[in-house]
Amino acid sequence: MDMNLVRELIDVVSRSPIGELQIERDGFRVRIAKQASPPALPSGPLPQPAPAFGAPAASGASPTIATIPRHSIRAPLTGVFYRSAGEGEPPLVSAGDVVAEGQKIGVLEAMKTFNVVEADRAGRIVEVAFEDHAAVQSGDVLFVLEEAG
């Protein structure tokens, strides 16, 4: 069986509205079923909150949550997302943790291969979008990061 064709089939089904597909041929059985995943977090700039009554002008004011640059770290592949480096170990990072560029922050299993998810910049983890052992699609937001100033 040509594994490249199987990968291509999985990719096509993952982008289609098909919920489940099962094929039996020449003694092989392939079943592809989508699992529900949390909605992806919105990308782009966050809306600015209205200033509080009597708040100082924007110039010289301390940064608010909406003015701190944020960055999404996305799944490079479709697979199973792990928050820890191994079974029974604590999560590599949690919301509130400060990370360095290149730091290991998750693991993604795709086709029985484990791929390290690294922080592509320094900052503080604001949100972890998926729980441990979650099925994710390529491009799904895994982490939201406040960039280091």
Side-chain angles (χ1 to χ4, degrees):
M1 174 178 275
D2 185 352
M3 290 308 292
N4 288 328
L5 291 176
V6 173
R7 287 185 192 106
E8 186 176 333
L9 178 62
I10 291 169
D11 186 51
V12 169
V13 171
S14 71
R15 290 181 288 154
S16 76
I18 297 171
E20 183 176 329
L21 175 70
Q22 184 167 323
I23 301 171
E24 293 185 39
R25 184 175 173 199
D26 300 331
F28 289 97
R29 181 184 314 176
V30 176
R31 180 176 174 268
I32 302 169
K34 292 183 184 177
Q35 294 181 356
S37 60
L41 297 174
S43 60
L46 296 172
Q48 291 281 5
F53 180 75
S59 61
S62 61
T64 65
I65 193 77
T67 60
I68 298 171
R70 292 194 173 196
H71 171 69
S72 297
I73 299 173
R74 297 179 179 271
L77 306 162
T78 297
V80 178
F81 172 66
Y82 298 97
R83 293 188 58 200
S84 61
E87 193 68 35
E89 294 186 26
L92 292 163
V93 295
S94 296
D97 290 351
V98 175
V99 297
E101 183 175 345
Q103 180 177 335
K104 182 178 181 178
I105 58 176
V107 177
L108 190 64
E109 179 186 7
M111 303 297 292
K112 300 292 183 195
T113 302
F114 292 92
N115 303 277
V116 173
V117 177
E118 296 179 344
D120 56 358
R121 59 190 72 191
R124 185 177 66 81
I125 300 291
V126 179
E127 185 170 348
V128 180
F130 287 91
E131 291 300 319
D132 201 26
H133 296 86
V136 298
Q137 301 292 314
S138 178
D140 282 350
V141 173
L142 300 176
F143 301 93
V144 177
L145 185 77
E146 276 182 358
E147 297 180 37

